Amino acid sequence: MLNRLSTFLYLRPKLVLALLLLPPLIWFLVVYIGSLFTMLVNSFFYLDGFTGQVVREFTLKTYAKLLIPANVQIFARTTSMAVAVTLMSIVLAFPLAYYMARFASARMKTFLYLAVTLPLWSSYVVRVYSWKLILAQEGIISWFARLVHLDGLLNWYLSLPVVGGPSLSVSATGIFLVFVYIWLPYMIIPIQTALERVPKSLIEASSDLGATPVQTFRTVILPLAFPGVIAGSIFTFSLTLGDFIVPSLFGNSSFYIGKAVLTYQGTSGNIPLAAAFTMGPIIIMSIYLLVARKLGAFDAL
Amino acid sequence: MLSKTPSKQSSGERSSMFLKLAALGTLLFLHIPLWLIFIYSFTTDESAYTFPPPGLTLKWIPQAIANPAMQDALFLTLRVAFLATAAALILGTLAASAVYRYDFFGKESISFMLVLPLALPGIVTGIAMRSAISLMKIPFSFWTIVIGHATFCVVVVYNNVLARFRRTAGSQVEASMDLGANSFQTFWHIVLPNIGTALLAGAILAFSLSFDEVIVTTFTAGNQQTLPIWIFSQMLKPRNRPITNVTAMLVVLLTALPILFAQQLTAHSSDSDK
């Protein structure tokens, strides 16, 4: 019986392919692509302010709402945060990635690779939680500042506009630090991979031709590591744009894209506006990817 | 990923002190926060996050484990993760087999489509599913959470299984068929043992991905609280700090150990393949 079935199937590879491919394909087309499509559809509906009901008629009203100053400010705030987080991640990731790629022994590299990826796989929400402990007014940073008699400096910093706040755990700086911490591994791995691919002969040739180590770094290593930096920045940038957990926990009342989406769909039931808002990060990321492609970031990957 | 690099120190090139310190600094930055969670699980401080802890105690651990809200959240999370992993295992393996064995139109875009839910910011997947739920008037339920989770878990199983397929020799399958085994026997005796550890590793990764997920879940869960959402709500309005501290520690342990195990599984098999 099984033999006959086996032969039957063996002679019909197209049928087997269909049996294999259709379940995952249908799942993704219905559940995922279908959902994305309903999001697009929803963004062209609008919420009737009086009845509080979503009106299912085609309109550009909801998109027009994105252009009011308060919402433009949300996009600007979130994008600048994403840029700042990305730049800081590059600065912190590069030395470790460079050390991993060029100096670490094989054993050391395995250990470091695990040390970098393990936080990625451990619970996101718990990693965020740890910063609630760190940044709290009575937490370790304030304690350390008092210990080295820099609490005056910390208070001065918190009194600054934009970056400051009542405490580190309610400030833009807090959001920034937590984002950098959470997404940093996504920056380390691609830079390390890119640096790993820089041929040793190239570096030797550069120094044979009389370049100082700094010159070699600037003119040979850095340009070759660039695709890795771009790949990493795609993660840090995109993840920062879409996150609502961190701004909800560490921010004051100022909105970021993710928090705005959450609030609109939740408390006010304005799914059309939430959907239209989400098109923001999608469009920003598409532009980002196009520019990255133009810069040749994908050629080397 | 490893062991492909001959010793790099041969040319007498040495890392500077500055580089070492900077690398160490980044490493500490990545790890110290997690250690703090362990310290805080034992603090006697109930109402604040005082550092250093005023005293140490073990009393919160049994209290946390016995906490009914935490238990409910934990069991819901485990049930969701279990079903999402099962669905991801089936769908991921099927997709990997199709992509590995056959050529068809649009083959390249399969990987792309499968990775999208994980690659796009969680909020996109989340609000997309929320839109579908709203548009189709589907009630929130246990199953909406499971379906959301399964969707972004498929890709980890798919990647693991496909990578294993590409490394195992096709000759074994041919030999089995030549010796008279039918497709099912070959699958059971040859293919499954070969991809077994890849399936296990993929399952562990999918499970922990689902176990930790909070963003998509926020949009598909309605009023139900999975463990990450419970922790999130405790952070928004801290009601029971000691219990939350201990739960956070337990979550770190519950997820880190299986992941280390999964890393071992994939690392060992790639060594033995050479």
Side-chain angles (χ1 to χ4, degrees):
Chain A
M1 170 57 197
L2 276 180
N3 271 325
R4 296 232 323 261
L5 185 61
S6 172
T7 318
F8 175 82
L9 289 174
Y10 186 80
L11 295 172
R12 288 164 187 79
K14 284 219 171 105
L15 177 66
V16 179
L17 172 64
L19 286 176
L20 289 175
L21 194 58
L22 280 181
L25 198 64
I26 290 174
W27 180 290
F28 265 76
L29 288 179
V30 172
V31 174
Y32 192 64
I33 308 293
S35 293
L36 286 174
F37 182 72
T38 61
M39 176 176 85
L40 192 68
V41 170
N42 254 306
S43 69
F44 289 106
F45 294 160
Y46 68 99
L47 187 85
D48 189 317
F50 294 107
T51 59
Q53 295 291 312
V54 173
V55 180
R56 296 183 174 182
E57 282 166 25
F58 177 83
T59 173
L60 288 172
K61 258 194 241 177
T62 309
Y63 278 102
K65 271 218 183 101
L66 293 185
L67 299 177
I68 65 170
N71 287 339
V72 171
Q73 218 177 7
I74 294 177
F75 282 113
R77 183 182 297 127
T78 314
T79 313
S80 7
M81 178 60 81
V83 170
V85 168
T86 301
L87 292 178
M88 190 65 189
S89 303
I90 297 174
V91 171
L92 286 180
F94 210 94
L96 182 57
Y98 192 68
Y99 182 80
M100 281 170 82
R102 308 247 353 254
F103 299 110
S105 62
R107 273 185 79 114
M108 186 64 174
K109 191 177 292 180
T110 314
F111 166 77
L112 287 175
Y113 189 83
L114 212 60
V116 170
T117 44
L118 200 59
L120 256 192
W121 284 105
S122 44
S123 170
Y124 161 84
V125 81
V126 168
R127 295 177 71 216
V128 173
Y129 184 66
S130 69
W131 281 83
K132 209 69 189 164
L133 310 173
I134 294 170
L135 296 175
Q137 213 151 23
E138 66 279 9
I140 189 167
I141 289 191
S142 306
W143 170 79
F144 186 75
R146 274 196 310 278
L147 198 72
V148 293
H149 299 292
L150 284 176
D151 39 344
L153 186 69
L154 183 63
N155 289 333
W156 170 79
Y157 181 80
L158 284 173
S159 70
L160 294 174
V162 184
V163 293
S167 85
L168 273 177
S169 76
V170 190
S171 68
T173 308
I175 298 179
F176 169 75
L177 285 172
V178 181
F179 272 142
V180 171
Y181 168 72
I182 298 280
W183 310 137
L184 189 57
Y186 288 101
M187 184 62 89
I188 299 174
I189 303 291
I191 297 185
Q192 189 245 343
T193 315
L195 284 172
E196 199 111 296
R197 287 193 198 144
V198 178
K200 201 165 174 50
S201 53
L202 228 54
I203 296 161
E204 282 164 2
S206 167
S207 62
D208 285 351
L209 292 168
T212 63
V214 177
Q215 280 175 324
T216 306
F217 183 79
R218 270 201 10 234
T219 54
V220 178
I221 297 173
L222 216 49
L224 289 170
F226 188 67
V229 174
I230 295 292
S233 75
I234 290 170
F235 287 109
T236 55
F237 197 81
S238 142
L239 291 166
T240 308
L241 280 186
D243 188 278
F244 65 81
I245 303 281
V246 177
S248 317
L249 291 172
F250 296 92
N252 45 24
S253 52
S254 46
F255 269 17
Y256 287 79
I257 294 176
K259 204 174 154 187
V261 170
L262 182 71
T263 312
Y264 289 138
Q265 68 84 31
T267 42
S268 48
N270 195 344
I271 292 178
L273 187 56
F277 241 100
T278 312
M279 299 311 282
I282 294 180
I283 292 165
I284 297 173
M285 277 322 292
S286 311
I287 297 172
Y288 196 97
L289 289 174
L290 280 178
V291 172
R293 196 180 198 157
K294 271 264 153 57
L295 290 174
F298 300 124
D299 303 347
L301 287 178
Chain B
M1 111 188 141
L2 30 123
S3 74
K4 283 193 189 110
T5 43
S7 83
K8 299 241 151 147
Q9 281 94 338
S10 52
S11 69
E13 178 184 47
R14 296 203 16 232
S15 60
S16 72
M17 207 58 203
F18 172 75
L19 181 69
K20 271 188 191 153
L21 283 178
L24 184 68
T26 302
L27 211 58
L28 288 177
F29 175 67
L30 276 177
H31 285 267
I32 287 179
L34 285 175
W35 303 343
L36 278 173
I37 288 188
F38 284 76
I39 297 177
Y40 274 92
S41 300
F42 302 101
T43 181
T44 49
D45 184 5
E46 272 182 67
S47 53
Y49 299 124
T50 315
F51 190 90
L56 296 175
T57 171
L58 285 172
K59 70 173 174 185
W60 305 122
I61 294 177
Q63 283 193 27
I65 293 173
N67 184 288
M70 196 286 277
Q71 281 184 356
D72 286 350
L74 177 66
F75 286 126
L76 175 67
T77 314
L78 288 175
R79 269 163 48 219
V80 168
F82 188 75
L83 282 168
T85 304
L89 271 179
I90 296 169
L91 296 173
T93 311
L94 288 176
S97 316
V99 166
Y100 176 68
R101 294 218 357 227
Y102 298 94
D103 273 317
F104 52 90
F105 177 73
K107 183 171 163 170
E108 271 69 44
S109 40
I110 292 285
S111 305
F112 179 73
M113 185 176 75
L114 295 185
V115 80
L116 261 189
L118 214 55
L120 284 176
I123 197 152
V124 175
T125 309
I127 197 70
M129 295 198 161
R130 180 75 181 80
S131 299
I133 287 169
S134 137
L135 199 72
M136 312 292 171
K137 301 210 190 309
I138 305 164
F140 288 113
S141 71
F142 173 72
W143 293 104
T144 51
I145 312 179
V146 172
I147 289 171
H149 281 205
T151 305
F152 61 74
C153 285
V154 170
V155 70
V156 288
V157 176
Y158 169 82
N159 279 343
N160 265 291
V161 174
L162 189 60
R164 180 62 55 86
F165 274 146
R166 290 194 169 135
R167 283 206 307 260
T168 43
S171 54
Q172 284 183 16
V173 173
E174 283 162 21
S176 160
M177 303 288 259
D178 286 349
L179 292 169
N182 66 35
S183 323
F184 303 104
Q185 287 167 326
T186 306
F187 177 78
W188 188 251
H189 294 292
I190 306 293
V191 179
L192 206 55
N194 256 320
I195 64 169
T197 50
L199 283 176
L200 186 58
I204 293 174
L205 295 180
F207 194 90
S208 65
L209 211 57
S210 162
F211 190 83
D212 288 339
E213 216 288 332
V214 58
I215 295 194
V216 176
T217 320
T218 310
F219 293 95
T220 55
N223 291 323
Q224 307 191 65
Q225 286 195 324
T226 61
L227 197 60
I229 291 193
W230 183 78
I231 297 175
F232 178 52
S233 71
Q234 289 292 323
M235 278 192 272
L236 278 175
K237 292 189 196 77
R239 276 182 296 261
N240 213 336
R241 292 183 204 230
I243 304 286
T244 317
N245 291 339
V246 173
T247 309
M249 176 180 75
L250 294 178
V251 169
V252 171
L253 290 176
L254 270 176
T255 43
L257 297 178
I259 292 298
L260 281 173
F261 180 61
Q263 296 258 14
Q264 286 287 314
L265 280 180
T266 43
H268 271 301
S269 51
S270 63
D271 286 345
S272 58
D273 284 344
K274 276 177 204 135

